[in-house]
Amino acid sequence: VNNRLRNKDGRPRQPQTILDIADDLHLSKTTISRAISGKGRIGAETRERVLSYIKDNEYKPNLIAKSLAVSKTFNIGVSLPTDAEMNEIPFFQTCLHSITETANTRGYDVVLTATTGQNIERLQYLVQNKKVDGIIITRLHSEDKAVAFLRGTGMPFVVIGTSADTTIAQVDSDHYLGCRELTARLLDSGCRHMALMAGDPDHKVNKDRYEGFAAACGGLATGAVLWKMTDAASIDRAMLGLMRERPECIVCMDDVICGMVLSWLHRKQLRVPTDIGVASFHDSAALAAHDPPITALRIDVPELGATAMRVLSDALDGKAIQPRTRLGYEIAIRDSSRLNI
Amino acid sequence: VNNRLRNKDGRPRQPQTILDIADDLHLSKTTISRAISGKGRIGAETRERVLSYIKDNEYKPNLIAKSLAVSKTFNIGVSLPTDAEMNEIPFFQTCLHSITETANTRGYDVVLTATTGQNIERLQYLVQNKKVDGIIITRLHSEDKAVAFLRGTGMPFVVIGTSADTTIAQVDSDHYLGCRELTARLLDSGCRHMALMAGDPDHKVNKDRYEGFAAACGGLATGAVLWKMTDAASIDRAMLGLMRERPECIVCMDDVICGMVLSWLHRKQLRVPTDIGVASFHDSAALAAHDPPITALRIDVPELGATAMRVLSDALDGKAIQPRTRLGYEIAIRDSSRLNI
DNA sequence: GTGAAAGCGCTAACAC
DNA sequence: GTGTTAGCGCTTTCAC
């Protein structure tokens, strides 16, 4: 019985380092390291001895030391927007959770970095001071500073979003196609005058959605597109003017905008879809549970996050990766856009 | 002009380590370290020279190396629930953001750990393998495994929630008082028969809310409290039976439940507050924007997160901390509970 | 005021 | 198959 493993009061003690184990087992640090990692030549029997010792004594390796030795942090940074309205969007939260889960199964932890507007200070800190092995960006701006920065660093990163530049690893649902198809189907179903309640044009995804909408509309009067409808006040202001043009259907760019539009219509005693049709380019539980249920474009958000993480992890493993992954979408035509019922 | 700072092609190069700087400036590593940290004796002039050199050459310290040397990771782990319904609750997202911001200003980064139910595997990993300096728990169970685990480790942690055990650092809004007061005010305003749509009784916060409600009600028939109303199906099932008892007001334990209850009432063509009053023990933007606006208990969620992080940071600095911090609440009586209008 | 050297806990040549 | 040794990049005694 070795005393290294007993405290002065006789209680068993956890070995703190591989050296403790080595001493106890009369082996060298190297052998312990090999037993743990499975790399390098080591006798099967020795290996078993070490492993069972580790199990019995609940040794846990110090990851910081390992990080320093192998120049790898086993952390990936996830950049999340923090603009006020973002907290109401379940998208980022859902995305974050699936990224985290996938990261964990691949041996990484997720370090958060909030990016307000285009302020990427903390992201730079994480990268420059080597706190992470890779980055996932969850929102893309038109001229994205984070992307421009990461480019210059050599740090692997993948964006959740669509960029024309296919040298940057990206995964996204095809917003352009999805929005074009949803819009086309609304047109087909007899919706002639459509209005688009759009978000911040500086966000790439909103531009993509707009392009899809515009493509389906053909020669649409641009007046029917209202940008920057990101808060209740803007929407209240815009809706009055908009209603004078008697649109048959209002398409909202995301579920938050849609919620606010529905609330406005409700206050004005306007009924959906009897008085006006409503659809959204992004679905959430609230929209489906609404009365009437809202027609919307569905995407598999958890899959989006998981895929981004898988691509990043593959890139970190030196595997060849597909630079652009397009995920599917699903169009859910629901009562809110059935004008003739 | 020293060649250490030029690549073969003559481009300037960033010094990678303090040794690079030391060599260039003909000083020792120690001196560079002291100039950066400000600790230890060092000449003011030398200090300036090093600092301006660092600025000019954009040297960034390797934090992993520092971590190993000082046995501090500058990371704090935040445990977030991942149960399906949680993604719809902005609470955790808002909380997380304010924790992250505060952490960053104090020199820490946030490492995420998802906790599904009471599965704390990854949390244990973070703690045992020394990837974090402290932990914040954002939800408390009645018999919380995370708390039980952390206790035994000596790792500093603070919970967002209320525990009777004041040896654990905790910050929370006073749910008991808030819910009692809101309930009392509803009773005062003439609401006689009340029903409580409650969440998972295993979550400490729900128990606290229940206690407050019950205290205000005095000898309330327990039949009017419906637990585990966490999904639309349960609510649909429960509401039919509940309505037969003709409650005058339905109090919901959180905004997700409230949303589902409102949706049910709407589908059944029941009007709020004409046919029935509604109130919620937790406020969110959606509830205030609802038509009619929903009476609710408001708490300052960002402040909650920020406080938790501040307490943890103080504890890590060895400062004496207040074991229990109670944040205020605000009662917003809105139209949804004005029965006589 | 400055520097040499040991050490944080691990990995990875390289020797035996 | 196992051990020796030299790092990873920083901090921190302890001399000078």
Side-chain angles (χ1 to χ4, degrees):
Chain A
V1 176
N2 192 309
N3 279 334
R4 295 194 92 285
L5 282 192
R6 307 255 151 215
N7 290 325
K8 25 194 180 305
D9 56 3
R11 277 185 302 110
R13 210 198 56 170
Q14 263 185 269
Q16 297 301 323
T17 73
I18 53 171
L19 187 59
D20 294 344
I21 305 177
D23 287 353
D24 257 29
L25 259 34
H26 303 290
L27 289 167
S28 75
K29 292 199 309 180
T30 314
T31 306
I32 312 303
S33 175
R34 284 202 271 253
I36 294 171
S37 69
K39 287 183 235 168
R41 295 172 302 191
I42 185 174
E45 187 225 6
T46 320
R47 176 143 205 266
E48 276 321 307
R49 237 177 94 219
V50 174
L51 256 28
S52 77
Y53 177 98
I54 283 178
K55 194 161 213 174
D56 293 348
N57 296 283
E58 300 188 324
Y59 160 78
K60 306 286 174 186
N62 181 324
L63 289 181
I64 299 292
K66 178 169 184 176
S67 289
L68 184 59
V70 301
S71 301
K72 213 176 158 198
T73 64
F74 304 102
N75 282 150
I76 73 115
V78 174
S79 152
L80 237 52
T82 353
D83 319 60
E85 74 267 22
M86 292 304 153
N87 280 356
E88 297 288 324
I89 307 186
F91 173 84
F92 293 103
Q93 195 169 350
T94 307
C95 209
L96 181 61
H97 276 145
S98 74
I99 291 174
T100 305
E101 259 177 33
T102 312
N104 289 350
T105 65
R106 299 222 168 186
Y108 293 96
D109 282 292
V110 165
V111 175
L112 228 58
T113 158
T115 311
T116 309
Q118 289 255 55
N119 178 349
I120 57 167
E121 263 184 46
R122 198 70 187 182
L123 175 67
Q124 294 179 308
Y125 174 85
L126 287 181
V127 172
Q128 295 176 325
N129 294 22
K130 307 207 169 60
K131 273 196 101 163
V132 295
D133 299 331
I135 294 282
I136 292 180
I137 306 267
T138 59
R139 181 178 61 181
L140 213 50
H141 288 261
S142 301
E143 301 287 322
D144 202 277
K145 284 195 185 163
V147 169
F149 164 71
L150 289 169
R151 266 246 164 67
T153 62
M155 167 82 51
F157 69 99
V158 1
V159 309
I160 293 181
T162 300
S163 169
D165 181 350
T166 49
T167 64
I168 82 178
Q170 48 187 288
V171 2
D172 204 0
S173 145
D174 198 323
H175 295 288
Y176 172 81
L177 273 189
C179 294
R180 198 179 71 182
E181 187 179 336
L182 174 53
T183 308
R185 291 191 52 184
L186 292 172
L187 284 167
D188 276 357
S189 73
C191 233
R192 287 288 124 205
H193 299 91
M194 285 210 265
L196 179 64
M197 300 295 280
D200 189 334
D202 192 37
H203 299 158
K204 189 63 173 57
V205 63
N206 289 338
K207 274 199 170 167
D208 294 343
R209 286 172 176 158
Y210 167 74
E211 303 287 351
F213 177 80
C217 288
L220 174 91
T222 48
V225 177
L226 296 162
W227 287 100
K228 292 219 173 196
M229 296 294 110
T230 46
D231 60 296
S234 312
I235 288 180
D236 286 357
R237 234 175 292 126
M239 287 300 287
L240 267 179
L242 181 64
M243 292 308 286
R244 271 188 231 110
E245 299 177 22
R246 306 216 149 272
E248 291 170 345
C249 187
I250 299 181
V251 180
C252 304
M253 252 195 198
D254 65 50
D255 45 4
V256 173
I257 293 178
C258 197
M260 296 190 290
V261 165
L262 288 170
S263 159
W264 189 91
L265 293 171
H266 193 239
R267 286 198 300 275
K268 300 297 175 187
Q269 320 269 9
L270 290 165
R271 312 194 40 158
V272 176
T274 329
D275 299 320
I276 190 158
V278 170
S280 175
F281 279 163
H282 184 55
D283 196 33
S284 73
L287 258 39
H290 191 269
D291 180 32
I294 310 296
T295 290
L297 203 50
R298 301 182 62 84
I299 65 176
D300 187 344
V301 180
E303 183 56 26
L304 208 56
T307 304
M309 184 59 226
R310 277 193 298 257
V311 170
L312 181 57
S313 162
D314 284 349
L316 291 172
D317 289 347
K319 292 186 198 159
I321 61 161
Q322 202 181 341
R324 173 183 270 171
T325 308
R326 287 274 200 236
L327 264 53
Y329 56 85
E330 188 190 320
I331 289 177
I333 301 287
R334 305 197 182 104
D335 284 349
S336 71
S337 67
R338 298 193 222 273
L339 303 193
N340 34 15
I341 57 171
Chain B
V1 178
N2 192 308
N3 279 333
R4 295 195 91 285
L5 282 191
R6 308 253 150 215
N7 289 326
K8 26 197 180 300
D9 56 4
R11 277 184 302 110
R13 209 199 57 169
Q14 262 184 268
Q16 297 300 324
T17 73
I18 53 171
L19 186 59
D20 294 344
I21 305 177
D23 286 353
D24 258 29
L25 259 31
H26 302 293
L27 289 167
S28 74
K29 292 197 312 182
T30 314
T31 306
I32 311 302
S33 175
R34 285 203 269 252
I36 294 172
S37 68
K39 286 184 238 167
R41 297 172 301 193
I42 185 173
E45 186 224 6
T46 321
R47 176 144 204 267
E48 276 320 306
R49 240 176 91 220
V50 174
L51 255 28
S52 76
Y53 177 97
I54 283 177
K55 194 160 213 177
D56 293 349
N57 296 283
E58 299 188 323
Y59 161 78
K60 307 284 174 188
N62 182 323
L63 289 182
I64 299 292
K66 178 171 185 176
S67 290
L68 184 57
V70 301
S71 301
K72 208 174 162 198
T73 65
F74 305 102
N75 282 149
I76 73 113
V78 174
S79 151
L80 237 52
T82 353
D83 319 59
E85 73 267 20
M86 292 303 154
N87 279 356
E88 298 287 325
I89 306 186
F91 173 84
F92 294 103
Q93 195 167 354
T94 306
C95 208
L96 181 61
H97 276 145
S98 75
I99 291 174
T100 304
E101 258 177 35
T102 311
N104 288 350
T105 67
R106 300 224 166 182
Y108 293 96
D109 283 292
V110 164
V111 175
L112 228 58
T113 158
T115 311
T116 308
Q118 289 256 56
N119 177 350
I120 58 167
E121 264 186 45
R122 197 71 188 182
L123 175 67
Q124 292 179 309
Y125 173 84
L126 287 181
V127 172
Q128 294 176 325
N129 295 22
K130 309 206 169 55
K131 272 197 104 163
V132 295
D133 298 331
I135 294 282
I136 292 180
I137 306 266
T138 60
R139 181 180 59 181
L140 213 51
H141 288 261
S142 301
E143 301 288 322
D144 203 277
K145 284 196 185 162
V147 168
F149 164 71
L150 288 168
R151 267 245 164 69
T153 63
M155 167 82 50
F157 69 99
V158 2
V159 309
I160 293 182
T162 300
S163 170
D165 181 350
T166 50
T167 65
I168 82 178
Q170 49 187 288
V171 1
D172 204 359
S173 146
D174 198 323
H175 295 288
Y176 172 81
L177 274 191
C179 293
R180 197 181 69 182
E181 187 179 337
L182 175 52
T183 307
R185 291 191 52 182
L186 292 171
L187 284 167
D188 276 355
S189 73
C191 234
R192 287 288 125 207
H193 299 92
M194 285 210 267
L196 179 64
M197 300 295 281
D200 189 334
D202 192 37
H203 300 157
K204 190 63 173 58
V205 64
N206 289 338
K207 274 199 171 167
D208 294 341
R209 287 172 175 157
Y210 168 74
E211 304 288 350
F213 177 80
C217 287
L220 174 92
T222 48
V225 177
L226 296 161
W227 287 100
K228 291 222 171 192
M229 297 292 111
T230 46
D231 60 296
S234 312
I235 288 182
D236 286 358
R237 232 174 294 127
M239 287 300 285
L240 266 178
L242 180 64
M243 292 309 284
R244 269 187 233 113
E245 300 177 23
R246 305 216 151 273
E248 291 170 344
C249 188
I250 299 181
V251 180
C252 305
M253 253 196 199
D254 64 51
D255 44 3
V256 173
I257 293 177
C258 196
M260 296 190 291
V261 165
L262 288 169
S263 160
W264 189 91
L265 292 172
H266 193 241
R267 285 199 300 276
K268 299 297 174 188
Q269 320 270 10
L270 291 166
R271 310 193 44 156
V272 176
T274 329
D275 299 321
I276 189 158
V278 171
S280 176
F281 278 163
H282 184 56
D283 196 33
S284 74
L287 257 41
H290 191 269
D291 182 31
I294 309 296
T295 289
L297 202 51
R298 301 181 62 83
I299 64 175
D300 187 343
V301 181
E303 184 54 28
L304 207 56
T307 305
M309 185 58 226
R310 277 193 298 258
V311 171
L312 181 56
S313 162
D314 284 349
L316 291 172
D317 289 347
K319 293 185 196 158
I321 60 160
Q322 202 181 339
R324 174 184 269 174
T325 308
R326 287 274 200 231
L327 265 52
Y329 56 85
E330 190 189 319
I331 289 177
I333 300 287
R334 306 197 182 105
D335 285 348
S336 70
S337 67
R338 297 192 222 275
L339 301 193
N340 35 14
I341 59 171

